[in-house]
Amino acid sequence: MGRIPHKYARQRIDELDADKFYCKYTTLEGDVLNDGYGYVVVETKIDPKGSGSICQMTAHFHPLPGTELEEKGVIKLSQENMKIIFKVVEEYRLANPQVYA
């Protein structure tokens, strides 16, 4: 199984709508926040599609005061981290279908 690239994160659930498969949460601290980040707000929406689903994620990065982040670097790093996390979750779900039955 893949390895999640971070050791810990403190997060807060801001919105949760199980009927619409929507979740909005804020990462407040942890090694998931690189230098310069104050916090990150992530919105996740899952839509049924045929026999599967499509997951859309939007991240809003909030730098610390006085910090400028290179947008391309932030986007690339975030995409790479999300791919790793999705792969870990996918492998776990496939290996443990009873957990989500």
Side-chain angles (χ1 to χ4, degrees):
M1 184 182 286
R3 180 164 164 82
I4 295 179
H6 307 290
K7 294 181 181 171
Y8 90 102
R10 189 179 72 144
Q11 299 172 320
R12 173 187 70 219
I13 301 291
D14 301 311
E15 293 180 46
L16 184 61
D17 188 332
D19 295 331
K20 294 182 180 178
F21 304 105
Y22 174 81
C23 179
K24 180 178 178 180
Y25 65 92
T26 301
T27 300
L28 302 165
E29 68 179 51
D31 63 346
V32 67
L33 294 175
N34 295 333
D35 291 339
Y37 295 121
Y39 61 98
V40 178
V41 178
V42 178
E43 296 179 73
T44 303
K45 173 81 172 109
I46 300 173
D47 293 309
K49 177 82 174 190
S51 62
S53 61
I54 295 176
C55 179
Q56 297 178 349
M57 297 185 77
T58 304
H60 306 274
F61 298 91
H62 299 269
L64 293 169
T67 303
E68 290 187 29
L69 302 174
E70 181 188 333
E71 187 173 347
K72 289 180 182 178
V74 169
I75 291 170
K76 183 177 179 182
L77 179 63
S78 297
Q79 288 174 337
E80 290 171 4
N81 288 341
M82 282 299 165
K83 285 178 185 177
I84 293 168
I85 292 169
F86 268 67
K87 187 68 176 166
V88 170
V89 171
E90 178 184 45
E91 289 174 5
Y92 179 81
R93 289 193 66 187
L94 290 172
N96 300 282
Q98 73 284 0
V99 174
Y100 298 94

